[in-house]
Structure formats: structure tokens, C-alpha cells
Amino acid sequence: MTRTEFAAELKRLKGDLAGRTDSPGSYRSEDCERSPSCMFSTGCRDCYRCTHCTDCEATTGSSHCVRCVGCHECSHCEDSQACTASAYLVQCLSCTGCTYCYGCVGLSKKEFHVLNVPYTKAEYFALVKRLRAGG
């Protein structure tokens, strides 16, 4: 096989994948594409082993996430990207092992933070309630 033949075959294979929409091994998922072994998910793309997720992309092993991209082993996260082993994150980016963070970036093993600033549990929930209400 020559480099040219290799490049041509790789291009063909990538094109084949882009045209696929099946999600083998999924159960009761709707409008998902290339999301094998997902359950009870809706509108997900390129996910794997997610459950009860909605409109996620390239997310794996996660549950109850909404509009997350590239998250792994997360639960109950919203609008977050590239987070790992975290729960209850909202609009976070690249957080690992975090819980209850809102608008945080690059944190590791933190909880009850807003915009990377720590709060008590009570302060956190009061602030998040105000932010969600638009105030």
C-alpha cells in the first residue's frame, strides 16, 4: 500500500462514518446519531454509554446531562464542555472531579464555586437561584 492509497482509503472511511446515523446497542433513545449503547437519551451525537442525556455531543459514560460537549463520566451537567468525573456543573469548561460549580473553568476537585470563586453551600444555592432567575 502506498501513502496515496492509504490517504484515499482513510478519506473514504471518514466519509462513510460521516454518513452513518445508526446507534447500535442503544435502548429507547430518540433522534440520536452515532451514539452506541446509550439509553433513554434524545438528540445526542457521537456519544457512548450515556443515559438520560439530551442534546449532548461527543460525551461518554454520562447521565442526565443536557447540551454538554466532550464530557466524560459526568452527571446532571448542563451546557458544559470537556469536563470529567463531575456532577451538577452549569456552563463549565475543563473541570475535573467537581460538584456544584457554575460558570467555572479549569477547576479540579472543587465544589460550590461560581466563576472559580468558592462559596458556602447556602451562598452557592442562593447565588445560582438569582442567576437562573436573571437577577
Side-chain angles (χ1 to χ4, degrees):
M1 174 181 298
T2 67
R3 287 181 66 94
T4 302
E5 291 170 332
F6 174 84
E9 180 62 8
L10 182 58
K11 182 178 180 180
R12 185 193 68 76
L13 289 171
K14 287 179 179 179
D16 288 350
L17 178 63
R20 291 180 61 190
T21 60
D22 60 327
S23 297
S26 291
Y27 180 74
R28 291 202 167 174
S29 290
E30 297 178 13
D31 193 32
C32 293
E33 294 182 5
R34 296 173 306 277
S35 297
S37 302
C38 293
M39 298 189 308
F40 308 106
S41 294
T42 305
C44 294
R45 307 285 178 265
D46 302 311
C47 294
Y48 175 69
R49 294 191 67 188
C50 292
T51 181
H52 296 92
C53 289
T54 304
D55 298 327
C56 292
E57 188 175 326
T59 294
T60 62
S62 296
S63 68
H64 299 87
C65 292
V66 179
R67 295 177 304 277
C68 290
V69 178
C71 291
H72 307 287
E73 302 298 328
C74 291
S75 69
H76 299 89
C77 296
E78 299 175 37
D79 301 306
S80 294
Q81 296 180 355
C83 295
T84 304
S86 296
Y88 301 99
L89 306 183
V90 179
Q91 296 181 28
C92 291
L93 174 65
S94 296
C95 291
T96 302
C98 295
T99 56
Y100 294 106
C101 292
Y102 198 102
C104 294
V105 177
L107 295 183
S108 179
K109 298 181 181 178
K110 301 292 183 186
E111 64 181 4
F112 305 116
H113 279 60
V114 176
L115 297 172
N116 288 22
V117 176
Y119 290 87
T120 67
K121 183 178 180 179
E123 291 171 330
Y124 172 85
F125 284 110
L127 179 54
V128 166
K129 184 177 180 179
R130 282 196 318 270
L131 290 169
R132 286 189 179 267

